[in-house]
Amino acid sequence: LFIENENLAEKFSIYPAAKLWHGAYIGGLCEHTLRVAKICDVASSFYPDCRKDLLITGALVHDIGKVEELSIRGFFDYNEKGRLIGHIVLGAMMVEREIEKIEGFPENLATELIHLIVSHHGKLEQGAPVEPKTLEAMILYHADMLDAQSEGVQHIIQRDISRGDKFSEYIKVLGRFIYLDGYRENGDD
């Protein structure tokens, strides 16, 4: 249903994944989502009880609310809905509306899919309304964190390596510096 919504599909393909940290560029949301889905696909093969179809569906819609949270006019920023409600709740609301259009959609499956969205930040202090309580939710949380952190560090490496310093500038969101020398052609530069 989301793919059939041309307006939503277009927004999803051009929106950033975040305002500043990871995927903060045109198309970043789509790239982040696909990387998370790929990580989930691989991770699901390690755990026999994992319901791969549920996990991949959750991975594909976990950040769908960002198309209602962010404004991309001129620069990336949070709009009124984004600041007052946030992408997690907005996404859960969007998915719930689409589920209601599907006759006979199992209520327990709908609840578990919404749980994937509302728990994908993993911890209450990281903005999750609830913590992951299923195997699929746990995998999605770690896949999302892995991609967000790794893509963010990749950006820091590319941004700071040309300065010639051994370490990046201090990265407030991580609470640390990133070691850069190992990413140069000659580690002893």
Side-chain angles (χ1 to χ4, degrees):
L1 290 171
F2 282 127
I3 293 169
E4 292 172 2
N5 180 332
E6 290 180 20
N7 183 44
L8 178 62
E10 181 181 351
K11 283 182 172 181
F12 189 79
S13 70
I14 63 171
Y15 268 59
K19 178 181 173 182
L20 296 172
W21 178 234
H22 73 94
Y25 51 85
I26 297 295
L29 176 59
C30 189
E31 286 185 9
H32 166 68
T33 300
L34 291 175
R35 284 191 305 262
V36 170
K38 285 180 181 180
I39 293 166
C40 286
D41 183 37
V42 171
S44 70
S45 68
F46 298 126
Y47 309 102
D49 290 327
C50 180
R51 294 165 294 170
K52 182 177 176 178
D53 55 346
L54 175 61
L55 175 60
I56 298 302
T57 301
L60 293 174
V61 298
H62 80 281
D63 273 346
I64 197 75
K66 290 193 176 190
V67 301
E68 290 193 11
E69 174 184 56
L70 294 166
S71 170
I72 62 170
R73 290 195 174 100
F75 59 92
F76 306 145
D77 201 1
Y78 297 101
N79 59 31
E80 192 172 280
K81 280 175 128 177
R83 290 191 189 276
L84 293 175
I85 302 171
H87 79 278
I88 293 174
V89 174
L90 289 168
M93 292 166 55
M94 291 170 71
V95 169
E96 200 163 52
R97 281 193 303 267
E98 295 304 314
I99 286 173
E100 289 173 1
K101 296 176 184 176
I102 303 171
E103 189 175 327
F105 198 97
E107 187 176 335
N108 63 324
L109 188 59
T111 300
E112 287 195 65
L113 180 56
I114 298 299
H115 175 69
L116 287 168
I117 296 167
V118 298
S119 68
H120 82 267
H121 275 202
K123 299 177 182 171
L124 303 178
E125 60 270 18
Q126 293 174 335
V130 296
E131 294 180 339
K133 293 179 178 66
T134 65
L135 175 59
E136 295 79 16
M138 191 65 69
I139 293 170
L140 178 58
Y141 158 61
H142 288 289
D144 182 53
M145 182 63 73
L146 173 63
D147 183 63
Q149 297 284 321
S150 298
E151 203 278 330
V153 170
Q154 177 70 45
H155 171 74
I156 298 304
I157 292 167
Q158 292 173 352
R159 183 194 74 189
D160 289 0
I161 200 161
S162 64
R163 291 187 5 243
D165 295 335
K166 288 187 179 288
F167 288 89
S168 70
E169 296 177 3
Y170 184 77
I171 311 304
K172 186 176 181 181
V173 70
L174 293 177
R176 68 192 77 150
F177 299 90
I178 299 299
Y179 183 66
L180 299 172
D181 258 5
Y183 302 100
R184 293 190 171 84
E185 285 185 36
N186 297 322
D188 57 358
D189 284 345

